[in-house]
Amino acid sequence: MGPVVSNVAEQLDSVHFYKVDVDEAPELAQQFGVQSIPTLILIKDGEEANRSVGFIPDDAVKEFAQS
């Protein structure tokens, strides 16, 4: 997912993307209930607004980020 997310991040200036290594930050993964990798979590106004689990292509990531 890394290259896909990086590509979409270059296209969307209004969205911030952050990558978390769940092996290095297990407490953060637990806090957000991440059970499968990859997991994308959309946060709006400090709250989870959407979640996607598993690989999705560029267009789907772009749509997800703008939802």
Side-chain angles (χ1 to χ4, degrees):
M1 283 298 307
V4 171
V5 172
S6 293
N7 182 40
V8 174
E10 290 177 8
Q11 299 174 33
L12 300 177
D13 293 333
S14 62
V15 179
H16 300 280
F17 290 87
Y18 300 92
K19 179 180 175 182
V20 175
D21 183 332
V22 297
D23 292 327
E24 292 185 18
E27 65 285 343
L28 189 58
Q30 184 178 15
Q31 176 185 344
F32 283 95
V34 175
Q35 297 180 354
S36 297
I37 300 170
T39 296
L40 300 176
I41 302 173
L42 179 66
I43 307 290
K44 282 187 177 179
D45 300 322
E47 300 289 328
E48 182 174 330
N50 201 354
R51 178 180 292 243
S52 174
V53 177
F55 179 85
I56 56 176
D58 290 41
D59 290 342
V61 172
K62 194 171 186 178
E63 184 177 318
F64 171 85
Q66 295 175 317
S67 64

